[in-house]
């Protein structure tokens, strides 16, 4: 007897570990920089030099780079920048079975603040959350047929599951240049820059996929002429890329995320010899998962009227995709500036970060609660504070409709800031309008018994002879043709033929004639 099996590609979470790091340090202002009168803004990002797993531990080495904007204590109240790095050298304890294969590190800068100790020293405090997940891609064999000399009765059932067709990482490097318009002053020094991706569109093709979108760049810089405290400029750089991905096709479900891991800005001179060009070198990490829906006819049960068979099963957990969509959340809120903040004259720039605080099952699906943390630059009417930076948090709540939720349902919600607009209603109030996409993947996790082997023994002919050769049977509730045939040593086909039936669905109370089958 030979079991014919087909491999099903599956993915499972091997382990998940989290850690929070407090990174604190006191930073002195270099001698080349003027004294600090007031801190405007601080921003930061993490970079990793080494990620190594050994004996169930993840060794991390990197740094938290920060950029501090401040107003000088000089009479001209210029804006200056102070940058530096806080080293990271940590060990995360993982489960012993975790390996380096398909390990993902996600870092979120939960909090970053700067407090003035004196005009030449600043205290930097930060809270960094690290999440490490290790996944395993494996093949699960499912029995689809049996080759045997003795006639067998097999019960086939369709198994609908979502398998993993591809899981990998790739990268794309975007190189482009921004040329300042003639209305803008030349650049002496870049003080602050931010970059985000928007309008990202991903299309699956045969063994590849395309990515296109826009990189939104905001620059705040000190001018060469020194007539203003600082100037700013915003630009959108379109990009397009084709990424090879063996095994994917147009009919599959993508779960592809783009993460900016490294960026470099360089000031260049234009054809007139003036520093008016900013060269951008951007490294985008592409985290790729491609899912494929498939239906397999697998053997659920087997018996033979002519042999004593004992099926052997193994429990297998598989996933079935319930929901894959993008829920759009429209947000409109008004925010009052603090009493200590200067009045608003003109909005310069607004950017935002989305935080998902909580997701929980509700009666109609998954309720998601979160917020947009907006970073806002604006010009003020005060000579002592010509420009100001502030943060504003706007909460939101959205129901993601999902039917057939159960305790084993698993899901991922990936937020995307589609649009953010900041307007000034008056000198004391801001209006924030935003559009957020909640990209949702929801899976039902199902446990099934997979046939792995069959033991065969000779028939107990004495027990077989004790069974009546012909039996009258009345169909009871929860009976089906398969269970009746198996219990009475016959086949479904024999019952249908003997009773002139054409359908396998039997009504309760139906009278059947059953004939025992014996191999002579």
């Amino acid at each position: 007897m030979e079991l014919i099996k087909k491999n099903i590609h599956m993915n499972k979470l091997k382990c998940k570990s989290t850690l929070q790091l407090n990174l604190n340090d006191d930073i002195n202002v270099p001698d080349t920089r003027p004294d600090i009168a007031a801190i405007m803004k601080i921003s930061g990002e993490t970079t990793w030099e080494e990620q190594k797993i050994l004996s169930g531990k993840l060794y991390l080495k990197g740094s938290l780079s920060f950029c501090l904007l401040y107003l000088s204590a000089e009479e001209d109240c210029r804006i200056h920048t102070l940058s530096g790095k806080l080293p990271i050298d940590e060990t995360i304890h993982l489960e012993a079975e975790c390996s380096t294969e398909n390990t993902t590190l996600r870092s979120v800068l939960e909090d970053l603040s700067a407090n003035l100790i004196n005009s030449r020293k600043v205290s930097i405090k930060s809270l960094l959350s690290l999440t490490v997940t290790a996944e395993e891609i494996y093949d699960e064999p499912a029995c689809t047929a049996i080759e045997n000399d003795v006639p067998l009765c097999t019960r086939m059932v369709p198994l609908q599951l979502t398998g993993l067709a591809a899981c990998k990482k790739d990268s794309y490097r975007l190189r482009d240049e921004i040329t300042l318009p003639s209305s803008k002053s030349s650049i002496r020094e870049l003080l602050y820059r931010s970059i985000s991706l928007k309008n990202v569109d991903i299309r699956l093709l045969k063994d590849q996929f395309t990515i296109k979108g826009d990189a939104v760049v905001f620059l705040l810089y000190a001018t060469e002429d020194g007539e203003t405290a600082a100037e700013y400029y915003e630009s959108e750089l379109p990009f397009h890329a084709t990424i090879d991905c063996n095994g994917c096709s147009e009919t599959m479900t993508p779960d592809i995320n783009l993460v900016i891991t490294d960026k470099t800005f360089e000031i260049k001179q234009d054809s007139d010899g003036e520093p008016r060009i900013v060269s951008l070198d951007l490294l985008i990490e592409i985290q790729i998962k491609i899912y494929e829906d498939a239906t397999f006819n697998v053997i659920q049960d087997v018996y033979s009227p002519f042999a004593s068979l004992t099926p052997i099963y193994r429990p297998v957990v598989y996933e079935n995709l319930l929901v894959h969509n993008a829920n759009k959340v429209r947000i409109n809120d008004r925010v009052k500036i603090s009493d200590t903040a200067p009045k608003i004259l003109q909005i310069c720039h607004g950017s935002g970060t989305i935080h998902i605080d909580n997701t929980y099952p509700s009666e109609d699906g998954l309720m998601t609660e979160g917020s947009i943390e907006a970073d806002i630059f604006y010009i003020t009417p005060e000579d002592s504070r010509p420009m100001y930076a502030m943060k504003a948090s706007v909460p939101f709540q959205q129901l993601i409709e999902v039917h057939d939720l159960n305790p084993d349902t698993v899901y991922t919600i990936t937020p995307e800031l589609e649009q953010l607009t900041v307007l000034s209603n008056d000198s004391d109030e801001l209006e924030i309008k935003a559009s957020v996409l909640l990209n949702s993947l929801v899976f039902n996790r199902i446990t099934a018994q997979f046939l792995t082997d069959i033991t065969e023994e000779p028939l107990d002919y004495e027990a077989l002879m004790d069974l009546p050769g012909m039996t009258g049977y009345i169909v009871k509730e929860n009976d089906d043709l398969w269970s009746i045939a198996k219990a009475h040593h016959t086949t479904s086909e024999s019952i249908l033929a003997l009773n002139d039936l054409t359908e396998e669905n039997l009504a309760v109370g139906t009278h059947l004639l059953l004939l025992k089958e014996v191999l002579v």
Side-chain angles (χ1 to χ4, degrees), residues 59 61 95 235 403 414 444 462 489:
Y59 298 91
K61 188 175 182 181
E95 297 177 12
S235 178
H403 301 292
T414 306
N444 254 352
E462 291 185 5
H489 215 269

Side-chain angles (χ1 to χ4, degrees), residues 305-342:
F306 316 116
S308 179
L309 305 180
T310 303
I312 300 173
Y313 299 94
R314 185 168 71 87
V316 174
V317 178
Y318 66 93
E319 294 179 346
N320 190 15
L321 182 64
L322 280 180
V323 171
H324 173 233
N325 61 20
N327 288 259
K328 182 174 289 190
V329 186
R330 297 194 181 277
I331 300 167
N332 194 337
D333 202 359
R334 297 189 176 189
V335 177
K336 287 282 188 181
I337 65 174
S338 66
D339 295 336
T340 58

Side-chain angles (χ1 to χ4, degrees), residues 122-134:
V122 179
S123 173
I124 307 292
K125 296 183 178 180
S126 66
L127 177 63
L128 186 65
S129 292
L130 304 177
T131 302
V132 179
T133 56

